[in-house]
Amino acid sequence: MSKNYLIGVCVLLACSGPGKGETDTAVASDTSTSTITSATTTTMTTGPTTGTDSTSSTTAEPTTTEAPTSTSTSTSTTDTTAPATATETTTTTGGGNCVPLVCDGKTYACGDCMDNDGDGLADLADPECVSPCDDREDSFATGLPGDNMDPCKQDCFFDGNSGGGAGDCAWNLKCDPKSPGGDKCPYDENFNNCPEEQPQECIDTCQVPNGCDCFGCCTVVVDGMSYDIFLGDQNCSVAQIDTCQQCTKNPDCDDECHPEECEVCFGETEPPPGCDDPTCEGDAQPCQIDEMGQSDCPDGLFCQTGCCQAIIPG
């Protein structure tokens, strides 16, 4: 009897042992599954909340109790939010909207986001636009009242005015053998006011584009032909380049263009073939002009021969 009793006890213990183990395993498994499910729910809930931070129209769905109800609800919220954010970014920063460029409190033809002369090129994408302070897209002349309108006396062509001052650039069209002043100011070989050098202030402050001198004598290339034209000619345009007043560059303030060094020359908007970025002097920032005449220059600057320059006057 004693031996049989011990055997019976052992059998009972052996049977009960595995059952408890299975129960423990099941509990641990349930606990682990619950923990994973909880972590997954937290992750899916956090995703949409983070994604909506970049928009101003955050709705209640991602933060209410609906998000942790099921994985499919959270996924749907994420898919809906992402495209909306991308669309807003493209609209505001993709370059689709033209922003007028203001010069001295006014908006002129070369900064008004319009193709004023109907040649398919607007504002700074038009070679006849010297700067946003230019009020004619159909001519290299600026069209600004009083801007270098004297038939003979010239100062810095690119400063938006004709006012001369101490140390300013000064030249007389009577000194040019090609008579860019036309019949109103023909070349005079006996004229005695043709300085060989310009003041240093003129050299330092006149914002001359690549390929021009400080008095508006610029080299342009049309259909493979190179022309030195006077920008003060009211009727000078790309379409009538053969009729433009020719000129002789002033060697003391001529900013020669070097396309072989990746410089963008006057009348061009893109770097020469083989150049990724245009070369700029000093700390000027390289820039690009799109088909709408807009550039990636900061406020108060415009893109001139591939480099950001100050809008003068401005």
Side-chain angles (χ1 to χ4, degrees), residues 28-249:
S29 176
D30 290 344
T31 303
S32 175
T33 303
S34 176
T35 302
I36 294 172
T37 303
S38 175
T40 303
T41 302
T42 301
T43 302
M44 295 307 295
T45 303
T46 303
T49 303
T50 303
T52 55
D53 286 345
S54 60
T55 63
S56 57
S57 57
T58 304
T59 57
E61 284 81 352
T63 55
T64 59
T65 55
E66 294 180 6
T69 300
S70 66
T71 303
S72 60
T73 301
S74 298
T75 303
S76 174
T77 303
T78 303
D79 292 341
T80 303
T81 304
T85 302
T87 301
E88 291 177 6
T89 301
T90 301
T91 301
T92 56
T93 63
N97 297 326
C98 183
V99 180
L101 294 177
V102 178
C103 172
D104 201 23
K106 299 179 182 179
T107 301
Y108 294 102
C110 287
D112 63 359
C113 299
M114 297 176 62
D115 176 15
N116 294 276
D117 58 354
D119 64 354
L121 301 170
D123 295 355
L124 299 180
D126 194 319
E128 282 101 351
C129 280
V130 178
S131 79
C133 305
D134 188 335
D135 205 29
R136 290 187 63 179
E137 281 192 11
D138 64 337
S139 169
F140 285 105
T142 65
L144 298 180
D147 185 22
N148 283 298
M149 298 303 292
D150 190 289
C152 292
K153 296 180 180 180
Q154 301 291 305
D155 71 340
C156 175
F157 184 89
F158 305 99
D159 62 3
N161 63 74
S162 295
D168 199 3
C169 306
W171 185 246
N172 197 302
L173 297 183
K174 291 182 180 181
C175 302
D176 191 336
K178 294 185 178 180
S179 295
D183 295 337
K184 294 182 179 181
C185 187
Y187 169 62
D188 183 357
E189 61 180 355
N190 296 316
F191 190 69
N192 58 8
N193 189 18
C194 301
E196 294 183 0
E197 296 182 357
Q198 292 295 315
Q200 188 61 41
E201 184 176 347
C202 167
I203 307 299
D204 294 339
T205 60
C206 189
Q207 190 171 286
V208 182
N210 299 330
C212 299
D213 73 359
C214 54
F215 301 110
C217 184
C218 299
T219 301
V220 295
V221 177
V222 179
D223 296 332
M225 296 290 293
S226 179
Y227 303 84
D228 287 345
I229 60 170
F230 176 52
L231 301 187
D233 181 356
Q234 301 298 309
N235 300 313
C236 182
S237 66
V238 172
Q240 302 180 27
I241 195 68
D242 291 331
T243 65
C244 293
Q245 292 285 354
Q246 303 295 297
C247 56
T248 305
K249 290 184 178 179

